[in-house]
Amino acid sequence: MKGIVFTEFLDLVEEKFGIEMVDKIISESDLDSDGIYTSIGTYQFSEMLQLLQSLNANSGIPISDLLLTYGEHFFNVIETSYKGLLDRYKDPIEMLSSVENHIHVEVRKIYPDAELPEFIIEEKTEDSLTMVYKSSRAMHHFGLGLMNKTFAHFNSTASIITENIKDDGTEVKFVIKKN
């Protein structure tokens, strides 16, 4: 997992809970990296799981809600750092439907060894999108946070319903209807 995912997560934890919480979740976790991350490094996904579990234990906030908030935070990083990527789109449905065939292609140019989830478009209309998320990491709530902020970026709203295809969250259907 790319280091930017870790550095931004720890930035969010510091912003929401303080530096003491960052120190606590790092010290409570058994991290090969010792919690020392660079944005361009690559780290084991198990470290992110440990940090999330520790934050959950110390905050009482469900991991799904932590991932949702983190996805919303991470969109701000994309918006600031990769504005040109977002400027190519005029509509949130258009942007979300291009994740697999355009946005992930661009991400791989920057991070060639990135392990990205797969998004399969099942149905698309002007105001709706049905897509399936597939990833062994089961971080679809992170994706939901990114989707929420995508609609906000375009001054729009949507109802987004998730349906687990696999109980472990490694395959999830998103049914998105623009309001």
Side-chain angles (χ1 to χ4, degrees), residues 3-15 17 22 25 37 47-48 50-53 55-56 66-67 70 73-74 142:
I4 191 170
V5 178
F6 289 88
T7 58
E8 288 300 329
F9 178 73
L10 295 176
D11 285 351
L12 174 65
V13 173
E14 182 177 356
E15 177 187 310
F17 301 99
V22 172
I25 66 171
Y37 303 107
E47 292 197 22
M48 179 58 71
Q50 289 180 65
L51 293 169
L52 281 164
Q53 290 165 346
L55 184 57
N56 162 257
L66 294 171
L67 284 170
Y70 181 41
H73 167 84
F74 203 83
F142 177 82

Side-chain angles (χ1 to χ4, degrees), residues 75 91-93 96 127 129 145-160 176-179:
F75 186 89
D91 174 82
I93 297 288
L96 292 175
D127 294 323
L129 181 65
L146 288 170
M147 289 177 195
N148 288 340
K149 291 296 276 194
T150 298
F151 278 90
H153 174 79
F154 288 100
N155 298 314
S156 185
T157 59
S159 66
I160 303 174
I176 305 162
K177 294 191 189 238
K178 191 172 167 183
N179 295 332

Side-chain angles (χ1 to χ4, degrees), residues 92-127:
I93 297 288
E94 175 192 7
M95 183 174 159
L96 292 175
S97 67
S98 73
V99 167
E100 190 65 33
N101 295 322
H102 181 254
I103 295 173
H104 280 179
V105 170
E106 295 300 317
V107 169
R108 283 190 181 93
K109 287 178 185 175
I110 301 167
Y111 304 107
D113 58 341
E115 295 176 40
L116 302 171
E118 180 181 7
F119 288 94
I120 300 164
I121 306 303
E122 288 192 339
E123 183 179 340
K124 178 186 172 195
T125 69
E126 187 175 312
D127 294 323

Side-chain angles (χ1 to χ4, degrees), residues 68 139-149 160 162 174:
L68 177 76
M139 290 180 58
H140 63 278
H141 285 96
F142 177 82
L144 180 58
L146 288 170
M147 289 177 195
N148 288 340
K149 291 296 276 194
I160 303 174
T162 59
F174 288 94

Side-chain angles (χ1 to χ4, degrees), residues 37-49:
Y37 303 107
T38 65
S39 61
I40 59 170
T42 302
Y43 307 92
Q44 294 298 315
F45 176 63
S46 61
E47 292 197 22
M48 179 58 71
L49 284 178

